[in-house]
């Protein structure tokens, strides 16, 4: 398998783990010193990002995560993603652009962009 194919596979596994609520895989695919940047939230440590995933996304009763497109150049993987999360009778849906940097088979940095208005409309204003 080429480096590009391997790196895309890591991202697919990570996003699949988010969909499946598989916290062990989410943790295992991040380097110990992994960092994140999230639109509207800024820089985050691995622990802060994982806690945010646990506290919001993984509390959904049903999670759909669909990769619309994925490309890789070197150690960088870009994924266009569509999600639908069910919280009881309420459904939160958004589109994302995620950028992952992979080294030695682990995510060392991630950047996540999404429609912040959809987040605020569903979850309320963030960071206040």
């Amino acid at each position: 398998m080429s480096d590009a194919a391997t790196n895309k596979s890591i991202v697919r596994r990570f996003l699949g783990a988010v969909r499946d609520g598989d916290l062990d895989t989410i943790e295992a695919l991040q380097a110990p010193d992994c960092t994140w940047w999230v639109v509207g939230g800024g820089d985050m440590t691995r622990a802060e990002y994982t806690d945010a995933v646990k506290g919001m996304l993984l509390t959904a009763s049903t999670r759909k995560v669909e990769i619309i497109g994925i490309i890789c150049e070197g150690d960088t993987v870009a994924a266009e993603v569509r999600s639908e999360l069910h919280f009881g009778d309420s459904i939160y849906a958004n589109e994302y652009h995620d950028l992952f940097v992979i080294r030695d088979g682990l995510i060392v940095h991630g950047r996540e962009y999404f429609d912040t208005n959809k987040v605020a409309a569903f979850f309320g204003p963030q960071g206040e």
Side-chain angles (χ1 to χ4, degrees):
M1 189 180 301
S2 72
D3 287 345
T6 298
N7 289 343
K8 288 193 287 187
S9 175
I10 291 164
V11 169
R12 284 188 181 101
R13 285 180 50 216
F14 183 82
L15 293 172
V18 171
R19 177 198 62 226
D20 296 341
D22 181 353
L23 190 56
D24 289 340
T25 299
I26 291 169
E27 292 274 9
L29 291 175
Q30 295 180 75
D33 59 347
C34 182
T35 58
W36 293 87
W37 178 91
V38 178
V39 69
D43 293 319
M44 302 175 96
T45 65
R46 172 192 169 163
E48 290 168 334
Y49 180 81
T50 302
D51 285 347
V53 170
K54 286 191 294 191
M56 183 170 27
L57 300 180
L58 297 186
T59 62
S61 58
T62 303
R63 291 171 299 280
K64 296 179 183 176
V65 177
E66 176 186 10
I67 297 173
I68 305 304
I70 189 167
I71 60 171
C72 179
E73 183 171 324
D75 62 1
T76 303
V77 179
E80 181 183 1
V81 180
R82 183 175 298 133
S83 72
E84 182 180 290
L85 308 172
H86 295 241
F87 298 90
D89 292 334
S90 300
I91 298 173
Y92 164 73
N94 211 335
E95 295 79 32
Y96 302 82
H97 171 73
D98 292 326
L99 189 70
F100 300 89
V101 178
I102 312 290
R103 287 202 189 99
D104 300 321
L106 296 174
I107 299 165
V108 296
H109 182 69
R111 294 182 70 83
E112 186 169 74
Y113 301 85
F114 49 84
D115 185 337
T116 56
N117 288 328
K118 288 182 180 181
V119 174
F122 190 86
F123 294 104
Q126 304 295 298
E128 294 182 6

